[in-house]
Amino acid sequence: MSRGRGRLALRYLVAVPLAAAFLFPFYWMLTLSLDRPDAILQLPPRLWPQWQVQNYAEVWRLANWPGLLANTLVTTVGRVALVLLTSTLAGYAFASMRFVGRAAAFGGLLAVSMVPTEVTLVPNYITLARLGWIDTYQAQFVPLAASVFGIFLMRQCFLSLPADLWEAAQLDGCTHLRYLWSIAAPLARPALVTIGLLQLIEGWNAFLWPLIVTSTDRVRPLQVGLAAFSFADSTRPELLAAGAVLTTLPILLVFLVAQRQLVGGIAATGIRG
Amino acid sequence: MSQTALTFLNLGSPTGLKFVVDHGESRALFEIGIEHAPGAMPFSLGLRPREGRELLDLQEAGRVDGAGPWNVFWRITWPLLSPTTYFLLFVNLVGSFKVFVPVYVFTTNTGGPNRAAETIGFYLYQQAFAFFHAGYAGAISVAFFVLILVLTGIQMRFFSRRVFYT
């Protein structure tokens, strides 16, 4: 009994400092965002703010947050929708359809996914520039419409469906598309939710690509807008922190609501998008 | 602290390989590393539960056979986790070369004091999109890709022998 209790204590001894280390930046961000500018620079730093809620009102006036938020929403929703569509179609084709070069195509897909996106940054930018897509919404999500991870996950999911299902549907006159839409995709809902959530978070936090392909606040997402704001007002840490809270809050809420699916999805696949 | 490796490689610096001695410079990259590490960690921890049940059974079997905690860990737990450890090592090593956002944000797009916090990812970005040297940036991309390929090869050769798959 005492041995079990000692072990539990040991676990907490490891887990609590770790959790604190991860939570502290969030706490610190919140504290800074509510603090007075003169209190922030004090040494030693205070862990409790000298309440000043008007930081938020001020930061709200300094940038077009609703516009930036709308831009993030448009590009993120577009990205999630396109990735779900391509993952389902391609995953199904790789799992259930026979065509020449299927194994080679799938192998090629996995090989391509090993190439870091940074490597293709310049050629992709030039392609978009030639298309005249620089500083548009579509530039921020159409090039990201296919996710190898998504295709892989959907393929694994469709492979696990019993073959009888397709045969029965076929006898009832189902085409591939009809079967996919009415039977296979609904059964693959947990995988779709996982892919959608990971894409949502990635789309929300996307930085490098939007930074490169946008040049004005008209289409720029929240994260890039925040960075631009931080460069312009880097002397005001409390405003920066307030801006950071504003950009983090929505995705934090999504995470809290969908935590179980997210962790389950990562644990089941062993891969993060 | 995979970032420290980048200090020594420091491929972007005109002097080629150099050791960063100046306190401000070395600290810049260290701070980037501090920022980057927690981001990689939840991923590392998140991978563990997947192997949990099988692992618990084998640990129990080991204990029944009389193995102490030391032996259970080093002869059962550690080898069984080795595929995950190996995978994480690889993913995080490659990831550390690509680090961009903290460098960009912390150094306000300068690369830090005397460019000490530059990573390959950041250097690539600067060359391509700040100085508009598209061809040079393309060459960096290719070199970067080859570097990762070589690293992967080395890792597979030297570490895969120490990895046990069940």
Side-chain angles (χ1 to χ4, degrees), chain A residues 89-100 102 166 176-177 180:
Chain A
L89 290 173
Y92 180 78
F94 280 123
S96 317
M97 294 171 85
R98 289 170 184 281
F99 54 91
V100 180
R102 183 172 75 165
W166 164 235
H176 274 297
L177 262 183
L180 178 59

Side-chain angles (χ1 to χ4, degrees), chain A residues 80 83-84 87-88 147 149-161 184-199 261-262 264-266 268-269:
Chain A
V80 170
V83 167
L84 286 180
S87 299
T88 309
S147 147
F149 167 71
I151 294 170
F152 180 78
L153 194 60
M154 290 311 286
R155 175 181 171 265
Q156 297 308 103
C157 196
F158 289 139
L159 278 179
S160 70
L161 297 180
L187 285 172
R189 223 165 101 183
L192 287 169
V193 170
T194 301
I195 297 170
L197 281 172
L198 289 173
Q199 286 295 325
Q261 280 95 323
L262 208 58
I266 293 171
T269 58

Side-chain angles (χ1 to χ4, degrees), chain B residues 73-151:
Chain B
F73 181 78
W74 286 111
R75 290 171 194 270
I76 296 172
T77 312
W78 182 252
L80 280 173
L81 288 177
S82 62
T84 312
T85 311
Y86 172 61
F87 175 69
L88 290 174
L89 182 74
F90 171 66
V91 167
N92 284 309
L93 186 77
V94 170
S96 69
F97 285 95
K98 306 195 290 187
V99 172
F100 171 77
V101 178
V103 180
Y104 178 84
V105 173
F106 283 179
T107 70
T108 48
N109 199 7
T110 63
N114 200 13
R115 305 162 68 201
E118 270 184 2
T119 57
I120 299 182
F122 183 76
Y123 186 55
L124 173 63
Y125 164 82
Q126 268 211 324
Q127 288 300 327
F129 302 105
F131 308 138
F132 302 106
H133 300 155
Y136 185 47
I140 298 170
S141 308
V142 173
F144 178 32
F145 181 58
V146 171
L147 181 73
I148 286 177
L149 217 59
V150 170
L151 275 174

Side-chain angles (χ1 to χ4, degrees), chain A residues 42-273:
Chain A
Q42 267 176 15
L43 277 174
R46 294 161 173 275
L47 290 179
W48 191 247
Q50 309 265 32
W51 297 95
Q52 180 171 287
V53 186
Q54 61 264 39
N55 287 343
Y56 282 88
E58 200 177 342
V59 84
W60 188 261
R61 278 196 306 273
L62 285 174
N64 178 18
W65 299 104
L68 294 172
L69 177 69
N71 294 341
T72 291
L73 284 177
V74 168
T75 50
T76 305
V77 168
R79 180 175 175 156
V80 170
L82 280 180
V83 167
L84 286 180
L85 183 73
T86 56
S87 299
T88 309
L89 290 173
Y92 180 78
F94 280 123
S96 317
M97 294 171 85
R98 289 170 184 281
F99 54 91
V100 180
R102 183 172 75 165
F106 192 65
L109 206 64
L110 291 180
V112 164
S113 75
M114 296 292 170
V115 179
T117 47
E118 282 74 4
V119 168
T120 52
L121 216 52
V122 176
N124 283 349
Y125 176 84
I126 292 171
T127 308
L128 286 197
R130 295 270 165 87
L131 284 170
W133 278 16
I134 298 305
D135 212 29
T136 60
Y137 283 130
Q138 68 265 31
Q140 297 175 59
F141 64 90
V142 174
L144 306 163
S147 147
V148 174
F149 167 71
I151 294 170
F152 180 78
L153 194 60
M154 290 311 286
R155 175 181 171 265
Q156 297 308 103
C157 196
F158 289 139
L159 278 179
S160 70
L161 297 180
D164 299 348
L165 217 55
W166 164 235
E167 275 159 27
Q170 224 173 357
L171 283 178
D172 290 339
C174 261
T175 60
H176 274 297
L177 262 183
R178 182 65 207 270
Y179 168 72
L180 178 59
W181 178 253
S182 309
I183 300 168
L187 285 172
R189 223 165 101 183
L192 287 169
V193 170
T194 301
I195 297 170
L197 281 172
L198 289 173
Q199 286 295 325
L200 181 71
I201 291 173
E202 259 181 64
W204 189 276
N205 291 331
F207 186 77
L208 180 55
W209 184 245
L211 175 74
I212 290 166
V213 296
T214 64
S215 47
T216 62
D217 266 351
R218 197 172 49 83
V219 293
R220 200 177 258 168
L222 216 43
Q223 304 294 349
V224 178
L226 181 68
F229 173 73
S230 91
F231 288 1
D233 287 85
S234 55
T235 48
R236 303 285 303 273
E238 76 283 7
L239 296 186
L240 251 175
V245 171
L246 289 180
T247 41
T248 314
L249 213 55
I251 201 69
L252 201 64
L253 289 177
V254 169
F255 176 76
L256 289 178
V257 170
Q259 197 179 14
R260 187 170 295 181
Q261 280 95 323
L262 208 58
V263 172
I266 293 171
T269 58
I271 311 172
R272 185 180 65 168

